[in-house]
Amino acid sequence: MVSSLKELIDEPELDHSNDPEERFMSSGVSWESYESLLAKLENNSHYRVNYLDGILEIVSPSIRHEKIKTNLGMLLERFFYSKRIRFVPMGSSTFKNKARKAGAEPDECYCIGEEKKVPDLAIEVVLTSGSVSKLEIYRRLGVAEVWFWESNQFKLYHLRDNSQKEQATVYSNTYGYEALSKSEILPELDISLLEQCLTISDSIQAIDEFEQGLKAADEQKQ
């Protein structure tokens, strides 16, 4: 990966032929430079760009990262269809708020019900640790629920403090988000089943076991 922000913006072609996940960090970056970079990368969906208070983070995801992200989206959308939940997939769209100096590109995100300016759910696949607090970014953007897939399990967070204050006043250690064991926006989803199936490398087998698990849960309720 390039070694400076200027080099990244000015470089005519961006190469991501190598698989290892790479991360570029820069501090003291103006909002204008951040938006210039977003414009540069507009037609390059490979990179994920995050911004918080002048700190810029650019991630070049590995193939393994993208496989997990794709399989996760595939399983979640099977759940939506099976439960007849209307949803709008927004992928890795860019969400930003200039006034609050925050911007992010989730690995996957969804609006539940109808399309909104900010997704209800943002999902991050974490294979290497970053230096930018994603929860603080998402608090400033007003994302209701954030999931992190890390070490083959999910960490779920629901926003409790979406005030315009500079710092969260409740659940301040997690930037205004409460850690959950069960999703509040998708209460019927069995997170343990999703975790189990997401670790299956064969996509067909993962779908089969996920749908069997959903069917078994429905039968138990009858």
Side-chain angles (χ1 to χ4, degrees):
M1 183 171 283
V2 293
S3 59
S4 72
L5 178 62
K6 184 178 186 303
E7 183 183 346
L8 182 61
I9 293 175
D10 292 343
E11 190 167 330
E13 296 294 334
L14 293 170
D15 178 30
H16 50 81
S17 57
N18 294 326
D19 184 40
E21 189 155 294
E22 297 180 291
R23 193 176 299 272
F24 170 84
M25 300 287 301
S26 184
S27 59
V29 177
S30 68
W31 186 265
E32 291 72 24
S33 293
Y34 165 57
E35 292 202 317
S36 294
L37 178 62
L38 292 178
K40 165 68 178 179
L41 299 177
E42 184 176 5
N43 296 319
N44 190 321
S45 60
H46 178 73
Y47 290 90
R48 306 280 191 276
V49 182
N50 303 293
Y51 183 90
L52 179 65
D53 292 335
I55 299 175
L56 182 77
E57 177 187 62
I58 306 164
V59 180
S60 171
S62 64
I63 292 175
R64 178 179 168 229
H65 178 285
E66 295 299 87
K67 285 181 178 178
I68 296 170
K69 157 192 149 59
T70 301
N71 287 341
L72 172 56
M74 176 180 63
L75 293 175
L76 266 183
E77 291 179 19
R78 292 275 176 165
F79 171 77
F80 291 141
Y81 287 126
S82 71
K83 299 298 181 183
R84 312 306 294 169
I85 297 173
R86 298 195 179 278
F87 70 100
V88 180
M90 304 182 80
S92 297
S93 301
T94 302
F95 302 95
K96 55 185 178 175
N97 187 318
K98 182 178 181 179
R100 307 200 73 186
K101 302 177 183 178
E105 295 174 349
D107 286 313
E108 291 287 356
C109 62
Y110 298 90
C111 291
I112 308 302
E114 60 184 9
E115 185 170 350
K116 309 174 183 73
K117 291 183 178 180
V118 175
D120 298 297
L121 171 62
I123 305 174
E124 298 280 349
V125 175
V126 181
L127 298 184
T128 58
S129 60
S131 300
V132 173
S133 172
K134 293 290 184 68
L135 283 178
E136 176 60 14
I137 293 176
Y138 287 128
R139 181 183 78 89
R140 295 189 192 185
L141 295 175
V143 177
E145 202 159 288
V146 183
W147 300 359
F148 294 96
W149 170 258
E150 187 173 4
S151 301
N152 289 342
Q153 63 181 8
F154 281 106
K155 295 179 181 178
L156 279 59
Y157 297 90
H158 196 94
L159 185 60
R160 301 301 184 206
D161 185 347
N162 58 357
S163 66
Q164 297 294 309
K165 295 180 180 179
E166 185 174 335
Q167 293 183 333
T169 56
V170 296
Y171 296 100
S172 57
N173 290 337
T174 47
Y175 304 96
Y177 283 84
E178 180 185 4
L180 304 174
S181 58
K182 181 179 180 180
S183 171
E184 290 190 5
I185 63 173
L186 299 174
E188 291 185 84
L189 177 61
D190 183 342
I191 295 297
S192 61
L193 174 64
L194 183 60
E195 289 175 338
Q196 173 189 333
C197 295
L198 195 52
T199 61
I200 299 172
S201 57
D202 183 278
S203 298
I204 299 299
Q205 182 184 352
I207 292 172
D208 286 346
E209 293 198 17
F210 187 65
E211 292 186 335
Q212 288 169 11
L214 294 177
K215 183 179 179 180
D218 288 339
E219 290 175 349
Q220 287 180 353
K221 293 178 183 177
Q222 295 176 359

